[in-house]
Amino acid sequence: QKEVEQNSGPLSVPEGAIASLNCTYSDRGSQSFFWYRQYSGKSPELIMFIYSNGDKEDGRFTAQLNKASQYVSLLIRDSQPSDSATYLCAVNQAGTALIFGKGTTLSVSS
Amino acid sequence: NAGVTQTPKFRILKIGQSMTLQCAQDMNHNYMYWYRQDPGMGLKLIYYSVGAGITDKGEVPNGYNVSRSTTEDFPLRLELAAPSQTSVYFCASSSRLPNTGELFFGEGSRLTVL
């Protein structure tokens, strides 16, 4: 069973701090990795994707991938109360579907 | 632009009843998916389709059936509903393989089985 693991949290950070969200995956053949954000009662929306080892930055968000360690993370700089949500890590499975982790709940206090 | 439309948004079923969750997309996407999300949990893949006439099982297919007769529609059938099927169901679509393209989600269908 291919798995995607995340710490469910909650992760609490003060406004303006850096939030660090982590994800590990079991399938070494996975090639693409995604971070989705889900507000309570809403559907998931894509934040970022990453394919290559290293860092990928988009505004306040940075995705980091280490395929050797089977580890992917999301950093949120200058966290805002509006970033409070559940963050879902997703990994492609055989190129045809995404497998999601349980999600990490982030709470940003003002 | 409607995107991915799911109906119904809410439904209460009695144990043993059957129903179909409808999903339609107007983006001409080849790839469509059904996920379920239990409270406090992530998304579990039920079934997916890479094109009309082609479907395949995901992580948790037992108790469900799907069909894909057109590019636009991907209904999910629940036979003999059980309390374990109480969940929020999300339909999603993608224009390309999901490892290269974004998944677009519907608003979800909240199902309660009593």
Side-chain angles (χ1 to χ4, degrees):
Chain A
Q1 178 76 16
K2 300 179 176 65
E3 294 183 344
V4 178
E5 300 287 343
Q6 294 182 257
N7 187 331
S8 60
L11 173 65
S12 297
V13 300
E15 183 175 359
I18 296 175
S20 178
L21 305 160
N22 304 315
C23 173
T24 59
Y25 58 95
S26 62
D27 182 10
R28 282 196 171 274
S30 301
Q31 297 188 2
S32 54
F33 309 87
F34 300 78
W35 284 99
Y36 280 78
R37 177 176 61 200
Q38 186 177 27
Y39 291 112
S40 180
K42 301 295 185 181
S43 54
E45 54 182 349
L46 181 67
I47 300 176
M48 292 189 68
F49 59 87
I50 186 167
Y51 304 144
S52 303
N53 276 330
D55 296 358
K56 179 182 179 182
E57 185 174 320
D58 184 0
R60 297 187 296 111
F61 299 94
T62 299
Q64 299 175 317
L65 175 61
N66 183 325
K67 289 186 177 181
S69 300
Q70 296 175 249
Y71 176 93
V72 58
S73 65
L74 179 70
L75 300 178
I76 306 174
R77 291 181 301 279
D78 188 23
S79 295
Q80 301 297 310
S82 58
D83 294 326
S84 297
T86 296
Y87 290 80
L88 301 166
C89 174
V91 176
N92 78 303
Q93 181 186 44
T96 52
L98 291 187
I99 300 301
F100 286 81
K102 293 181 179 180
T104 298
T105 300
L106 173 66
S107 177
V108 182
S109 56
S110 58
Chain B
N1 192 359
V4 179
T5 302
Q6 292 183 234
T7 56
K9 287 184 170 50
F10 301 93
R11 182 73 185 269
I12 298 175
L13 281 181
K14 294 182 179 179
I15 294 172
Q17 288 185 321
S18 300
M19 73 160 298
T20 298
L21 298 177
Q22 301 291 343
C23 176
Q25 52 93 7
D26 62 0
M27 297 174 282
N28 201 31
H29 287 172
N30 285 327
Y31 303 92
M32 296 189 73
Y33 313 87
W34 274 106
Y35 288 91
R36 62 174 285 175
Q37 186 174 37
D38 298 334
M41 303 292 282
L43 300 167
K44 289 291 186 182
L45 180 66
I46 305 172
Y47 272 95
Y48 64 97
S49 170
V50 300
I54 305 170
T55 62
D56 210 344
K57 296 178 180 179
E59 301 171 276
V60 290
N62 291 343
Y64 306 94
N65 279 299
V66 294
S67 60
R68 185 93 183 272
S69 57
T70 67
T71 299
E72 295 77 20
D73 300 300
F74 191 40
L76 178 71
R77 179 79 176 166
L78 281 72
E79 303 283 359
L80 299 175
S84 61
Q85 293 178 304
T86 294
S87 191
V88 179
Y89 292 83
F90 287 101
C91 179
S93 71
S94 174
S95 61
R96 297 174 287 173
L97 289 173
N99 57 330
T100 56
E102 177 181 357
L103 263 62
F104 293 86
F105 285 88
E107 294 185 338
S109 297
R110 185 176 298 274
L111 175 67
T112 301
V113 182
L114 300 175

